[in-house]
Amino acid sequence: MRYSHQREAIKKTIQETNCHPTADWIYKETIKIIPNISLGTVYRNLKCLEESGDIKTIYDGNIARYDWNTEPHNHLKCKHCGDLIDIVLSDESIHPQIKQDFKFDVDLVEMTIIGTCQKHT
Amino acid sequence: MRYSHQREAIKKTIQETNCHPTADWIYKETIKIIPNISLGTVYRNLKCLEESGDIKTIYDGNIARYDWNTEPHNHLKCKHCGDLIDIVLSDESIHPQIKQDFKFDVDLVEMTIIGTCQKHT
DNA sequence: TTTATAAATAGTAATAATTCCTATTATTAT
DNA sequence: ATAATAATAGGAATTATTACTATTTATAAA
Ligand SMILES: [Mn+2]
Ligand SMILES: [Mn+2]
Ligand SMILES: [Zn+2]
Ligand SMILES: [Zn+2]
């Protein structure tokens, strides 16, 4: 994979926010730096960055969001404001139980905890 | 909400499968019974059935799937064949921990466990 | 049992997110 | 500097879903 000005800007945009942005948000931010970047380039590079392990894709309902935090973690999702908050839970304990009960070989546990965040109290 | 032949057929289609079908799959099945049903009618009634509590919508990546099983449960997702398998885990134990640690009021825990099912051994 | 009312439908157009296509541009090895 | 080709911009195409509207249908009243 060859260097590109565009890919670096996209990566930087993602790494500078905690908001788990969508492709469109990333496009609107990156276009401020590279005024003629195209949305197609954003999508293509999001895929590159995911493949190189620089970012992670998360599916929030039926929209893709992107996360600079590639460490295993889960999310709290507020049903009022839609915010996604990172949490780390020790869910490794589930793996052997499932392997035994369902003959299912676990890679990862994707957990989203839905509720109300502290902003709405 | 008024009775409709179409809605009943859609509901029956969902209740007769364990495959967590997409809207399109449901459409293709239901059209065998009601040959002139439209995809819009399928989508509209899926929303009705969700609101009335007859079915549950689950998001698998960026596509919506529908589930007749409205009891709280989670899914094993096979990364090879894409199958979704129902499981029930007692995850209630994490609710109070999260409330304390994150001041986040938990409604439900959506968990998808990704790995390899027994078909690929 | 007709008739009136409005909810639901079929068919189609529109939208939103994402991917694909291609002529042009930019990176990088020589 | 030049050549080779990976990456881009811009736009078209695709896919999933929603919106629109004239017509049909369920249902309640006469
Ligand atoms: Mn995160
Ligand atoms: Mn299920
Ligand atoms: Zn909130
Ligand atoms: Zn499988």
Side-chain angles (χ1 to χ4, degrees):
Chain A
M1 174 142 34
R2 206 149 79 166
Y3 171 88
S4 105
H5 186 28
Q6 286 85 342
R7 187 179 313 119
E8 287 309 301
I10 290 162
K11 188 163 139 187
K12 193 156 177 284
T13 297
I14 297 167
Q15 285 171 344
E16 281 174 350
T17 185
N18 278 319
C19 78
H20 300 88
T22 62
D24 197 60
W25 189 95
I26 293 162
Y27 171 63
K28 286 188 169 78
E29 282 300 304
T30 312
I31 208 170
K32 294 174 186 169
I33 313 301
I34 305 175
N36 67 332
I37 197 170
S38 74
L39 187 53
T41 296
V42 172
Y43 274 105
R44 183 166 19 78
N45 280 297
L46 287 170
K47 201 155 283 181
C48 293
L49 290 167
E50 159 109 77
E51 275 165 24
S52 64
D54 286 298
I55 63 170
K56 250 197 75 186
T57 304
I58 57 190
Y59 291 98
D60 175 24
N62 51 9
I63 195 166
R65 294 183 173 275
Y66 301 89
D67 200 336
W68 57 263
N69 184 355
T70 56
E71 296 301 307
H73 69 286
N74 307 108
H75 297 98
L76 301 176
K77 177 176 176 171
C78 178
K79 66 182 176 182
H80 302 288
C81 61
D83 276 8
L84 291 178
I85 303 154
D86 283 1
I87 57 166
V88 177
L89 292 174
S90 53
D91 51 32
E92 302 297 320
S93 58
I94 315 175
H95 295 205
Q97 188 207 328
I98 289 167
K99 187 152 193 173
Q100 193 164 38
D101 294 0
F102 299 92
K103 299 190 209 320
F104 191 95
D105 193 19
V106 175
D107 287 340
L108 74 142
V109 178
E110 272 182 10
M111 195 171 350
T112 304
I113 293 156
I114 293 158
T116 304
C117 82
Q118 56 184 309
K119 282 191 270 173
H120 325 275
T121 49
Chain B
M1 172 141 36
R2 206 151 75 165
Y3 171 88
S4 106
H5 187 29
Q6 287 84 345
R7 189 182 310 118
E8 287 309 302
I10 289 162
K11 191 163 139 188
K12 193 156 177 285
T13 298
I14 297 167
Q15 285 171 344
E16 281 174 351
T17 184
N18 278 317
C19 78
H20 300 88
T22 62
D24 198 59
W25 189 96
I26 295 162
Y27 171 63
K28 287 189 170 76
E29 283 300 305
T30 311
I31 208 170
K32 293 175 187 171
I33 313 300
I34 305 174
N36 68 332
I37 197 170
S38 76
L39 186 55
T41 296
V42 172
Y43 274 106
R44 184 166 19 77
N45 281 296
L46 286 170
K47 202 156 282 180
C48 293
L49 291 167
E50 159 109 77
E51 275 165 23
S52 63
D54 288 298
I55 62 169
K56 250 197 75 186
T57 305
I58 59 188
Y59 291 97
D60 175 24
N62 52 8
I63 194 167
R65 294 182 173 274
Y66 301 90
D67 200 335
W68 58 262
N69 184 353
T70 56
E71 296 302 306
H73 69 284
N74 307 108
H75 297 98
L76 301 175
K77 177 176 177 171
C78 178
K79 65 181 176 182
H80 302 289
C81 61
D83 277 9
L84 291 178
I85 302 154
D86 283 2
I87 57 166
V88 177
L89 292 174
S90 53
D91 50 33
E92 302 297 320
S93 58
I94 48 179
H95 295 205
Q97 187 208 328
I98 289 166
K99 187 151 193 174
Q100 193 164 39
D101 292 0
F102 298 94
K103 299 190 209 319
F104 191 96
D105 192 19
V106 176
D107 286 339
L108 74 143
V109 178
E110 273 182 10
M111 194 168 356
T112 303
I113 294 158
I114 292 156
T116 304
C117 83
Q118 55 185 313
K119 282 192 271 174
H120 324 274
T121 47

